[in-house]
Amino acid sequence: MEQLKVLREHLGETDEIILNALLMRNRIVEDIMAFKESHGLQILQPEQDEKQNKWLDRKLEGKRHSAEVKNVFDCIVNNSKRIQARKLFNYNIVLIGFMGSGKTTISDYLSTSFAMEVVEMDKVISDREGMSISDIFEVYGEEYFRNAETNLLKEMQTKANVVISCGGGTPMRDCNVEEMRKNGRVVLLTARPETILDRVKDSHDRPLIENNKTVEFIENLMNKRRAKYEAAADIIIETDGKSELQICEELVNSLLKKDAEDSGRQSL
C-alpha cells in the first residue's frame, strides 16, 4: 500500500507539471496571436498544423499508448484554436450569399482552422423536420420554411464563436437580418453566375432553380437579391479564383479591420 501511495504522489506531481505546461502553452498561443495582429502577419497558417502533426507522429512512433497520447494532443490543439477564435471574434460569423457561393466550404474551413462550431441552417432545419428542403417547400410552403429560419437565428443569439451558414433566401427577410446582427458579423460571399452554375449543377436540393439551371436564370435571381444581400452585409468577399485559405484569410482580416473601425468610432 505504501508503494501505491508513492505512485499516486508521482502521478499527482506529473499532473501538476502537465497543468502548468498547458497554462503556459495557452499564454503562448495568445502571445502568438497578438504578435501576428500587431505585425500584420497571416493569421491562418495551415502549414503549422501539418508540421506539428509530422513532429508528433515521429515522436510517438513505436511508443506505448501512442493513440491515447495523440488523442490528448488533438484536444490540446483544438482548444488552442478555440482560444484563437475567442481572441479574434467575440461574436458569431454569419455567412450569407447565393446558393453555391461557398458558404458551406468556407464554414468548414473556418471550423477546421479555429475549432468553431458550424450551424448549417438548411441542414439543421431539414434534420428537425425529417425531410429535405425541397419536401418542406412542397409540403408546408416557403413561408413555413422562412419562419423556421427566423426561429433558428433567434436561438443562435445565445452563442458566440459559431459559424452560421445561412440559406440563400435567409437575408431576404429584414427581420432575419436584424436577428443576425444581434450577436454576429454578417459576411457576404459572392461569385459569378457561371461559377454558381458550375457548383450547383449536380445538386437536386435547390428547389428555386431545380428546373432552371442556366446562367441567365441564376443571374436574374442574383440581381433580384443583390440589394438585400449587400444591405445586410458587414463585409463582402468575392470567392472567384481564390483558394479556401485566401478567402478565409481575407475574411478574418476584413472582420478585424471592421472591428477596429467600429471600436474607433465608439471611442470618439
Side-chain angles (χ1 to χ4, degrees), residues 243-261:
S243 68
E244 296 168 10
L245 174 59
Q246 288 173 323
I247 294 168
C248 288
E249 186 70 18
E250 182 179 345
L251 185 155
V252 170
N253 287 326
S254 296
L255 285 176
L256 293 177
K257 181 179 179 181
K258 177 69 174 175
D259 292 343
E261 291 172 351

Side-chain angles (χ1 to χ4, degrees), residues 9-20:
E9 287 176 353
H10 289 335
L11 185 62
E13 292 168 358
T14 304
D15 287 343
E16 188 80 21
I17 293 171
I18 293 172
L19 176 60
N20 289 331

Side-chain angles (χ1 to χ4, degrees), residues 173-203:
R173 270 189 170 187
D174 291 340
C175 64
N176 284 349
V177 176
E178 184 178 339
E179 299 301 333
M180 293 175 192
R181 288 177 168 167
K182 286 181 179 178
N183 190 32
R185 288 286 196 194
V186 183
V187 179
L188 170 60
L189 301 180
T190 67
R192 294 189 298 269
E194 294 82 1
T195 303
I196 297 293
L197 178 59
D198 186 61
R199 291 173 179 174
V200 305
K201 62 185 179 183
D202 296 323
S203 171

Side-chain angles (χ1 to χ4, degrees), residues 21-268:
L22 287 174
L23 292 172
M24 180 184 297
R25 190 183 194 281
N26 289 342
R27 287 195 296 270
I28 293 171
V29 168
E30 291 181 325
D31 290 343
I32 289 172
M33 290 302 298
F35 185 87
K36 285 181 179 180
E37 287 185 61
S38 63
H39 289 77
L41 299 178
Q42 183 172 309
I43 300 295
L44 299 172
Q45 296 180 317
E47 68 277 6
Q48 286 299 116
D49 286 345
E50 184 178 355
K51 181 179 177 181
Q52 186 176 47
N53 285 332
K54 289 180 178 179
W55 167 82
L56 185 58
D57 288 340
R58 287 197 306 270
K59 289 291 186 179
L60 292 178
E61 187 175 359
K63 297 293 194 299
R64 295 176 62 193
H65 315 302
S66 60
E68 289 80 5
V69 174
K70 180 70 163 60
N71 180 262
V72 170
F73 261 82
D74 288 343
C75 290
I76 291 171
V77 170
N78 279 336
N79 280 312
S80 294
K81 291 178 177 180
R82 292 189 182 99
I83 290 171
Q84 294 178 56
R86 286 199 300 271
K87 183 169 178 58
L88 290 170
F89 321 113
N90 61 352
Y91 48 78
N92 297 325
I93 297 176
V94 186
L95 300 180
I96 66 171
F98 200 77
M99 62 186 80
S101 59
K103 298 186 296 293
T104 297
T105 300
I106 297 309
S107 62
D108 287 345
Y109 198 92
L110 288 171
S111 176
T112 300
S113 299
F114 295 115
M116 298 173 76
E117 178 186 353
V118 173
V119 174
E120 188 84 32
M121 289 187 62
D122 282 356
K123 185 179 186 307
V124 171
I125 295 171
S126 178
D127 288 346
R128 289 179 177 181
E129 296 293 332
M131 62 179 71
S132 68
I133 302 300
S134 297
D135 288 342
I136 294 174
F137 269 64
E138 183 176 346
V139 175
Y140 297 111
E142 183 176 358
E143 184 73 10
Y144 179 91
F145 177 75
R146 299 304 175 196
N147 288 338
E149 287 182 317
T150 303
N151 291 333
L152 183 54
L153 287 170
K154 290 178 179 178
E155 288 182 36
M156 293 300 101
Q157 292 169 23
T158 62
K159 297 192 174 189
N161 292 127
V162 173
V163 181
I164 304 172
S165 179
C166 299
T170 309
M172 302 307 291
R173 270 189 170 187
D174 291 340
C175 64
N176 284 349
V177 176
E178 184 178 339
E179 299 301 333
M180 293 175 192
R181 288 177 168 167
K182 286 181 179 178
N183 190 32
R185 288 286 196 194
V186 183
V187 179
L188 170 60
L189 301 180
T190 67
R192 294 189 298 269
E194 294 82 1
T195 303
I196 297 293
L197 178 59
D198 186 61
R199 291 173 179 174
V200 305
K201 62 185 179 183
D202 296 323
S203 171
H204 298 287
D205 198 27
R206 317 273 187 172
L208 292 179
I209 67 164
E210 179 57 31
N211 299 313
N212 296 282
K213 291 179 179 177
T214 66
V215 170
E216 293 75 19
F217 183 85
I218 290 172
E219 184 173 20
N220 183 53
L221 188 53
M222 290 176 70
N223 287 335
K224 289 179 180 178
R225 294 182 171 183
R226 190 183 309 278
K228 287 282 190 179
Y229 280 180
E230 293 180 353
D234 291 303
I235 63 172
I236 301 174
I237 306 292
E238 296 179 3
T239 65
D240 285 295
K242 298 175 185 175
S243 68
E244 296 168 10
L245 174 59
Q246 288 173 323
I247 294 168
C248 288
E249 186 70 18
E250 182 179 345
L251 185 155
V252 170
N253 287 326
S254 296
L255 285 176
L256 293 177
K257 181 179 179 181
K258 177 69 174 175
D259 292 343
E261 291 172 351
D262 287 356
S263 178
R265 280 194 288 268
Q266 290 173 5
S267 63
L268 293 178

